[in-house]
């Protein structure tokens, strides 16, 4: 497992590079565009095209959009939608692969349980070290871990997924609202006015 990670490290570093990701997204758009109208690629392209056109039309109804701005909006939404679709596909693949590795380790398929356990044990130990460094000498290790890391009831020491999503959404909305207020007050871009007009268009 460690050898595989070592060999794939250059590939993963390149895949994380933003310009490489942009090039992949543009290549995917061109690949879908080249598909026949009746093929799966053509139907996917037509569906995304309708989605982009409806989104640009929504913005055109809320703001005054000219041809130059419309072309940039169309390109930007194409890239954004395909990028989000790729992220969703990769997230699903990551979950599936993780479950498959869990099953391989649990069932000892191909005799890989020890290798998987050793790799995950190393990762867990590296993550545990910074937590252990701040443990006071007067607190036993088991009580320290039970209090903050591994509770006795085997429940995770962090809030449920729904709470984390809600908190993350609220924090992101607060940041976006703060940036919009700053742009409204200190720049020539009436962002809050645009957002208000967009909400009115959505609710109309």
């Amino acid at each position: 497992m460690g050898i595989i990670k070592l060999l794939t490290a250059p590939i993963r570093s390149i895949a994380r590079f933003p310009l490489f990701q942009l090039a992949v997204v543009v290549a995917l758009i061109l690949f879908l565009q080249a598909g026949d109208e009746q093929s799966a690629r053509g139907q996917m392209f037509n569906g995304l095209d309708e989605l982009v056109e409806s989104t640009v039309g929504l913005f055109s109804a809320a703001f005054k959009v000219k041809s130059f701005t419309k072309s940039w909006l169309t390109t930007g939404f194409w890239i954004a939608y395909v990028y989000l679709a790729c992220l969703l596909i990769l997230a699903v693949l990551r979950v599936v692969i993780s479950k498959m590795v869990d099953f391989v380790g649990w069932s000892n398929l191909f005799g890989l349980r020890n290798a998987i356990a050793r790799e995950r044990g190393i990762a867990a130990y590296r993550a545990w070290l910074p937590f252990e460094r701040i443990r006071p000498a007067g607190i036993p290790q088991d009580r320290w871990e039970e209090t903050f890391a591994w509770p006795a009831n085997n429940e995770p020491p962090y809030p449920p997924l729904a709470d984390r999503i809600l908190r993350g959404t609220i924090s992101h909305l607060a940041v976006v609202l703060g940036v919009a207020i700053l742009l409204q007050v200190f720049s020539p871009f009436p962002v809050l006015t645009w957002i208000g007009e967009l909400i009115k268009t959505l609710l109309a």
Side-chain angles (χ1 to χ4, degrees):
M1 301 293 289
I3 296 177
I4 295 176
K5 287 186 176 181
L6 183 63
L7 293 176
T8 58
I11 299 175
R12 286 186 281 114
S13 62
I14 294 174
R16 294 193 187 102
F17 193 59
L19 288 179
F20 177 80
Q21 295 177 358
L22 178 62
V24 171
V25 169
V26 173
L28 283 175
I29 294 173
L30 296 176
F31 175 74
L32 293 175
Q33 181 178 317
D36 186 76
E37 291 288 335
Q38 305 302 323
S39 64
R41 281 193 296 160
Q43 293 177 2
M44 290 174 61
F45 181 85
N46 292 334
L48 285 171
D49 192 35
E50 293 178 1
L51 179 61
V52 171
E53 286 296 329
S54 63
T55 308
V56 174
L58 180 64
F59 275 82
S60 300
F63 321 121
K64 186 178 181 181
V65 178
K66 295 185 178 181
S67 58
F68 180 78
T69 307
K70 185 176 181 179
S71 63
W72 276 102
L73 284 175
T74 303
T75 304
F77 281 121
W78 259 107
I79 294 174
Y81 283 137
V82 174
Y83 186 77
L84 288 175
C86 291
L87 288 181
L88 180 61
I89 293 172
L90 289 176
V92 172
L93 286 177
R94 188 178 295 112
V95 172
V96 171
I97 292 174
S98 177
K99 295 298 183 182
M100 291 175 60
V101 174
D102 290 345
F103 176 76
V104 169
W106 172 77
S107 62
N108 199 24
L109 190 65
F110 310 119
L112 293 176
R113 177 185 293 164
N114 290 340
I116 295 173
R118 185 180 300 109
E119 198 70 26
R120 293 190 175 184
I122 293 173
Y125 180 76
R126 288 173 176 170
W128 170 80
L129 277 179
F131 169 71
E132 179 64 16
R133 290 194 191 104
I134 63 174
R135 177 174 65 87
I139 299 180
Q141 183 181 13
D142 54 351
R143 185 157 63 88
W144 176 257
E145 293 179 356
E146 181 178 330
T147 304
F148 299 105
W150 196 278
N153 56 6
N154 284 334
E155 293 184 0
Y158 46 81
L161 179 60
D163 292 349
R164 285 178 283 155
I165 292 176
L166 180 61
R167 293 179 184 179
T169 303
I170 293 175
S171 62
H172 282 79
L173 288 177
V175 171
V176 171
L177 182 61
V179 172
I181 293 173
L182 291 176
L183 290 175
Q184 180 84 14
V185 175
F186 298 106
S187 75
F189 302 104
V191 179
L192 290 178
T193 305
W194 293 347
I195 293 175
E197 293 177 355
L198 182 61
I199 293 175
K200 289 179 182 178
T201 304
L202 291 173
L203 297 177

